[in-house]
Amino acid sequence: MKKRLNIFALLILMALSIHTGYTLFYSWGEISTAYKEGYEKAGKLPRQPNLSDLSRHDICIRKKLGSTAIIDSIYNIKTNSYIPTDIQKIQISIPDNQSVGYQVSIAVMVLLLVPAVIAVIVLFLRLIGAIQSALLFTKTNVLRLRWIGGCLLLIAVIYTIGNYMELAFVRSVVEISGYEITSEGMIEFPALINALIAFLAAEVFAIGLRLKEEQEFTI
């Protein structure tokens, strides 16, 4: 049983680490770009924009009702012909001219995100260690699960706010003929669901603790 528990714990930590690394990679890109822009704007001579001045954004789009949308195509090697495609999600590169408030907000959210992720990992490891020591239904484990749920909820909120800010920025500078930029994927449902699962597990542990205490009192 402990072997399976260790395997599941390792898989969860790997998934969390990969997801966190992916997020920090792109968040760090925005922070470093903001720093570089501030440093270069302090110079006297203006620069011509290049690829390093562009920021990448993944956006979801859909056709506007009653309008003519752009129809694209891709080359199919097997049939040696082009086939039409329906554009739903694209990645665009646009001038990285976000406001100072936007850049500061992103930096603050990253500073909040890192401690929350570290707290989840530490609490999770301590929870696994307690379970392996046969300390299952305890007040400490209930509190750990509730803290894990709270941290995961904070992560979901941070992601959602960041996605909303990115969506608002892209909408303010980009308009695609025949399409509208949608808010699909703005809410971080995976992190939200994980938070709810952690809260549910905490309540299960709390019920188990209550039954254990009642049984001990009866005996």
Side-chain angles (χ1 to χ4, degrees), residues 7 13 35 43 50 53 55 58 97 99-100 120 151 166 173 175 204 209:
I7 292 175
L13 285 175
Y35 171 81
N50 50 52
D53 299 317
S55 61
D58 294 321
N97 56 354
S99 65
V100 175
V120 170
C151 290
E166 181 182 19
V173 297
E175 184 174 358
V204 172
L209 176 61

Side-chain angles (χ1 to χ4, degrees), residues 44 48-49 69 73 87 96 132-133 176:
K44 297 180 179 180
Q48 294 298 323
S73 62
I87 304 174
D96 199 2
Q132 288 182 334
S133 302
I176 303 174

Side-chain angles (χ1 to χ4, degrees), residues 54-68:
L54 303 179
S55 61
R56 295 183 301 174
H57 302 270
D58 294 321
I59 60 173
C60 296
I61 59 176
R62 65 184 174 191
K63 296 178 182 178
K64 292 181 180 178
L65 295 177
S67 62
T68 302

Side-chain angles (χ1 to χ4, degrees), residues 166-177:
E166 181 182 19
L167 176 66
F169 168 70
V170 172
R171 282 179 172 174
S172 66
V173 297
V174 175
E175 184 174 358
I176 303 174
S177 176

Side-chain angles (χ1 to χ4, degrees), residues 151-166:
C151 290
L152 289 173
L153 183 61
L154 176 62
I155 292 172
V157 171
I158 291 174
Y159 272 119
T160 300
I161 294 175
N163 292 338
Y164 175 78
M165 292 176 58
E166 181 182 19

